[in-house]
């Protein structure tokens, strides 16, 4: 049985490479398995640049964002652009800790009252000072359902926000919220200028409207379908960036990005193709960096109907998939198998890491290869011969390789898996528009926590009103434990409650996990100072970028 499984995966990998045309992304159907990656080699950030640079061209491997409005920025492209222009109350550091930022202090006065003391030397790009009014406006705008904010859930317990001093804002919650302070180090903590935002109206965050923030780079222009350009803010409170102009160009497909990086047409990029690892490492134009990450690759059921909504079918696929083989084939070994939404990286720095660790270790084994057991589960569900549709992004070699492995594995256990490749706009619609998921059973994606928050991502998929709870998962016992974790003022109780919730929802497989995916960054040898850990998703990743 093991030999059959290996042959099927080898055939799947060969098929994926053939479909991709083997262009740019490199790779071979008969390459040797990727070696175990030394996690000690993970790099969180490169040394600060030391020389001024007129212009840096950065590749946006995830395509064009739909907005640069911080309240509505809900995907990688939008985050990468916003992160250098707008700033958060607190900062997620490259090591995924939390530090001061726009606030010199943000501390709990009691269980439901957070007092935020702002810096007094911060100015917006137009020279006007950051005020408590701007912070209050930004928080209220995020909390208002009419805004369409993707950060609204972070403010669900906020009952008031008011100025309690010239540079002080106090937030009152209806009940304790253990994650609220952490959220201010991520997208929920971005601050925009009230006057500019109100004047821009519906145009805020668009190519014609732009945005007004306090960050190290200023919005210059956005050429639809081509790029977003920003310039160094000479009056930034922390430092003036060495790169005078930063252009984020929208790149279509792994092959195009690889070619542009290796030719020097593009100076750097995040999430570069793992299949191009050998080419990046042998290049004399740049350096390949791998960093610690909260990101994971997985595929989620995108419907509450049909066989994809049946936990038995999801479990069958999960226990059949050989995770190590998939990581070797699609990520070139740059990741580690994972059991659930929260990678160990997220809690290793916690004072209660032992509680989280024991809970994680007790979760069901999902290393894969259990074909016979999986086949029985498919039969029990009455799903033998069922046709399922798995959506991926067109042009994504990693996704295609993984999807092809899933397809081959599904066939081994009695299922038929169709791979549907969608263009970027269609794929994005899956996450925010019900009609975008019509006719789909699963979606292959990368998920992540953008702040050091244990509860953030699971809540999206397993709470009744979760943003991505497409299966309509509703377990009262899970909901109760998650609520205890979210509202407890005792961090140990919160950790224990989360572990209990996790032990209940993981066996239902709301998502089928592949791997904790390390960051992959390629940077020109002429440059240094870029953040290479996953904090680059919401922190100013180019503030220290410069020549060397």
């Amino acid at each position: 049985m093991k030999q059959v499984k290996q042959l099927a995966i080898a055939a799947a990998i060969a098929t994926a490479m053939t479909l991709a045309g083997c262009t740019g992304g490199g790779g071979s159907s008969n390459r040797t398995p990727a070696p175990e990656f030394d996690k000690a080699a993970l790099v969180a950030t490169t040394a600060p640049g030391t020389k001024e640079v007129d212009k840096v061209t950065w590749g946006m491997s995830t395509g064009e964002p739909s907005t640069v409005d911080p309240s509505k920025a809900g995907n990688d492209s939008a985050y990468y652009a916003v992160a250098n222009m707008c700033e958060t109350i607190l900062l997620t550091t490259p090591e995924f800790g939390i530090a001061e930022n726009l606030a010199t202090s943000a501390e709990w006065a009691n269980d439901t009252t957070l007092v935020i003391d702002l810096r007094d030397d911060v100015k917006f790009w137009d020279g006007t000072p950051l005020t408590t009014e701007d912070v209050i406006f930004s928080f209220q705008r995020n909390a208002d359902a009419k805004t369409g904010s993707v950060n609204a859930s972070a403010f669900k317990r906020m009952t008031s926000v008011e100025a309690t001093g010239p540079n002080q804002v106090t937030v009152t919650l209806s009940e304790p919220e253990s994650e609220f302070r952490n959220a201010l180090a991520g997208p929920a903590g971005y601050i925009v200028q009230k006057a500019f935002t109100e004047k821009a109206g519906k145009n805020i965050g668009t190519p014609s409207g732009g945005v007004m923030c306090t960050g190290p780079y200023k919005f210059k222009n956005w050429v639809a379908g081509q790029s977003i350009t920003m310039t160094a803010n000479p009056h930034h409170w922390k430092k003036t960036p060495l790169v005078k102009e930063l252009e984020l160009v929208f790149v279509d497909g792994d092959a195009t990005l690889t070619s542009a990086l290796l030719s020097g047409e593009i100076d750097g990029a995040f999430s570069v193709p793992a299949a191009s690892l050998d080419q990046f490492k042998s290049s004399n134009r740049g350096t390949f960096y791998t960093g610690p990450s909260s990101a994971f690759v997985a595929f989620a059921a995108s419907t509450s109907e049909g066989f994809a909504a049946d936990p038995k079918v999801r479990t069958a696929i999960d226990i059949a998939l050989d995770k190590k083989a998939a990581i070797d084939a699609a990520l070139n070994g740059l990741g580690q198998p994972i059991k659930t939404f929260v990678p160990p990286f997220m809690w290793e720095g916690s004072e209660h890491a032992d509680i989280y660790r024991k809970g994680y270790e007790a979760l069901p084994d999902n290393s894969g290869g259990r074909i016979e057991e999986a086949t029985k589960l498919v039969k029990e569900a009455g799903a033998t011969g069922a046709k399922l549709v798995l959506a991926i992004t067109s042009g994504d070699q990693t996704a295609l390789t993984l999807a092809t492995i899933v397809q081959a594995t599904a066939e081994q256990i009695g299922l038929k898996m169709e791979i549907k490749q969608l263009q970027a706009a269609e794929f994005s619609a899956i996450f925010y528009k019900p009609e975008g998921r019509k006719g789909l059973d699963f979606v292959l994606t990368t998920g992540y926590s953008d702040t050091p928050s244990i509860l953030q991502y699971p809540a999206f998929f397993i709470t009744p009103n979760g943003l991505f709870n497409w299966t309509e998962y509703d377990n009262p016992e899970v909901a109760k434990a998650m609520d205890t974790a979210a509202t407890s003022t005792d961090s140990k109780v919160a950790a224990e409650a989360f572990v209990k919730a996790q032990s209940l929802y993981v066996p239902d497989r709301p998502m089928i996990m592949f791997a904790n995916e390390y960051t992959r960054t390629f940077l020109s040898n002429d440059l240094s100072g870029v953040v290479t850990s996953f904090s680059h998703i919401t922190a100013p990743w180019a503030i220290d970028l410069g020549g060397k």
Side-chain angles (χ1 to χ4, degrees):
M1 187 64 71
K2 182 177 181 181
Q3 184 181 16
V4 172
K5 178 192 70 176
Q6 290 175 336
L7 288 173
I9 290 177
I13 294 170
T15 301
M17 295 303 174
T18 301
L19 291 172
C22 293
T23 58
S28 169
S29 62
N30 61 358
R31 65 186 175 196
T32 57
E36 291 291 337
F37 185 79
D38 180 7
K39 288 189 285 185
L42 297 177
V43 176
T45 187
T46 56
T50 57
K51 296 181 179 180
E52 290 189 355
V53 178
D54 289 334
K55 182 178 180 179
V56 166
T57 302
W58 198 264
M60 296 280 271
S61 62
T62 48
E64 184 171 14
S66 59
T67 182
V68 292
D69 176 355
S71 290
K72 299 177 182 178
N75 61 22
D76 298 27
S77 293
Y79 284 145
Y80 289 145
V82 171
N84 285 308
M85 296 189 291
C86 301
E87 295 183 288
T88 48
I89 290 294
L90 296 173
L91 179 72
T92 298
T93 67
E95 295 74 27
F96 232 59
I98 293 180
E100 298 174 353
N101 204 33
L102 291 181
T104 59
S105 173
E107 302 298 336
W108 295 104
N110 55 51
D111 291 347
T112 57
T113 306
L114 185 71
V115 179
I116 301 169
D117 291 318
L118 301 172
R119 297 184 63 90
D120 60 7
D121 57 351
V122 179
K123 294 182 179 180
F124 288 99
W125 303 325
D126 62 1
T128 60
L130 169 69
T131 68
T132 56
E133 188 176 8
D134 297 304
V135 174
I136 293 169
F137 171 79
S138 298
F139 282 10
Q140 290 176 334
R141 185 168 181 266
N142 262 328
D144 189 351
K146 296 179 181 178
T147 302
S149 170
V150 297
N151 306 311
S153 61
F155 295 90
K156 62 185 178 181
R157 292 185 173 90
M158 184 177 76
T159 57
S160 69
V161 52
E162 57 185 352
T164 48
N167 294 295
Q168 187 180 83
V169 171
T170 298
V171 179
T172 303
L173 307 180
S174 59
E175 58 183 332
E177 170 58 271
S178 62
E179 298 290 313
F180 183 75
R181 183 178 183 276
N182 290 348
L184 300 185
Y190 279 126
I191 304 301
V192 297
Q193 188 189 73
K194 178 182 179 182
F196 181 94
T197 304
E198 289 182 330
K199 184 177 180 179
K202 292 183 179 180
N203 287 326
I204 192 71
T206 66
S208 61
V211 69
M212 177 63 68
C213 292
T214 65
Y217 285 90
K218 303 186 294 183
F219 179 89
K220 180 181 180 181
N221 62 41
W222 179 349
V223 181
Q226 181 176 317
S227 66
I228 292 174
T229 301
M230 52 191 77
T231 57
N233 175 9
H235 306 298
H236 188 249
W237 59 272
K238 187 175 183 181
K239 66 184 297 184
T240 299
L242 292 171
V243 176
K244 300 309 174 186
E245 184 170 281
L246 180 63
E247 182 183 21
L248 310 182
V249 296
F250 316 137
V251 183
D252 183 20
D254 289 354
T256 302
L257 178 61
T258 298
S259 177
L261 287 167
L262 295 177
S263 69
E265 180 183 347
I266 291 177
D267 297 306
F270 298 125
S271 300
V272 298
S276 302
L277 175 62
D278 291 342
Q279 292 169 268
F280 290 135
K281 284 192 170 183
S282 62
S283 171
N284 59 7
R285 286 189 176 272
T287 303
F288 177 82
Y289 298 97
T290 304
S293 174
S294 66
F296 58 81
V297 184
F299 67 102
S302 54
T303 177
S304 60
E305 302 176 349
F307 290 115
D310 189 332
K312 283 187 177 181
V313 173
R314 298 199 298 267
T315 299
I317 298 172
D318 191 26
I319 65 175
L321 281 169
D322 186 328
K323 305 306 191 300
K324 181 61 169 62
I327 292 170
D328 287 350
L331 300 178
N332 239 320
L334 300 178
Q336 60 181 336
I338 187 175
K339 296 180 178 181
T340 184
F341 306 111
V342 184
F345 169 66
M346 292 290 295
W347 39 254
E348 281 297 350
S350 167
E351 62 178 321
H352 302 300
D354 58 327
I355 294 176
Y356 291 113
R357 188 179 301 111
K358 289 177 182 177
Y360 183 85
E361 291 172 352
L363 294 175
D365 171 62
N366 71 335
S367 57
R370 292 147 60 187
I371 302 298
E372 187 174 339
E373 184 181 348
T375 303
K376 289 181 179 179
L377 281 174
V378 170
K379 289 181 180 179
E380 288 176 14
T384 302
K387 180 181 177 181
L388 301 169
V389 180
L390 171 61
I392 66 172
T393 304
S394 179
D396 186 334
Q397 173 61 52
T398 298
L400 180 58
T401 301
L402 286 173
T404 308
I405 292 172
V406 171
Q407 185 181 55
T409 303
E411 185 175 345
Q412 284 185 279
I413 62 176
L415 299 169
K416 296 179 180 179
M417 188 74 72
E418 175 190 344
I419 300 171
K420 188 168 187 177
Q421 299 190 54
L422 303 176
Q423 295 302 314
E426 294 178 290
F427 192 77
S428 179
I430 292 174
F431 297 90
Y432 302 106
K433 298 178 181 179
E435 59 269 26
R437 298 188 289 276
K438 187 176 181 180
L440 304 177
D441 295 290
F442 292 101
V443 55
L444 181 64
T445 185
T446 297
Y448 50 79
S449 293
D450 44 44
T451 59
S453 169
I454 301 295
L455 304 179
Q456 181 191 50
Y457 207 90
F460 288 148
F461 279 89
I462 55 96
T463 57
N465 296 314
L467 184 63
F468 306 132
N469 186 359
W470 303 320
T471 64
E472 298 180 8
Y473 183 81
D474 186 6
N475 183 324
E477 196 172 356
V478 169
K480 182 179 179 181
M482 287 290 286
D483 189 63
T484 298
T487 60
S488 176
T489 57
D490 185 323
S491 58
K492 182 179 180 182
V493 171
E496 292 172 339
F498 171 75
V499 166
K500 179 181 179 180
Q502 181 178 249
S503 71
L504 296 171
Y505 68 70
V506 166
D508 291 331
R509 266 78 172 189
M511 288 190 84
I512 298 173
M513 313 304 299
F514 274 118
N516 175 202
E517 180 182 17
Y518 304 141
T519 65
R520 302 183 302 274
T521 304
F522 188 79
L523 183 65
S524 166
N525 283 330
D526 296 328
L527 301 171
S528 189
V530 73
V531 174
T532 53
S533 82
F534 204 74
S535 71
H536 62 218
I537 200 75
T538 55
W541 51 266
I543 189 172
D544 290 321
L545 187 61
K548 65 176 183 178

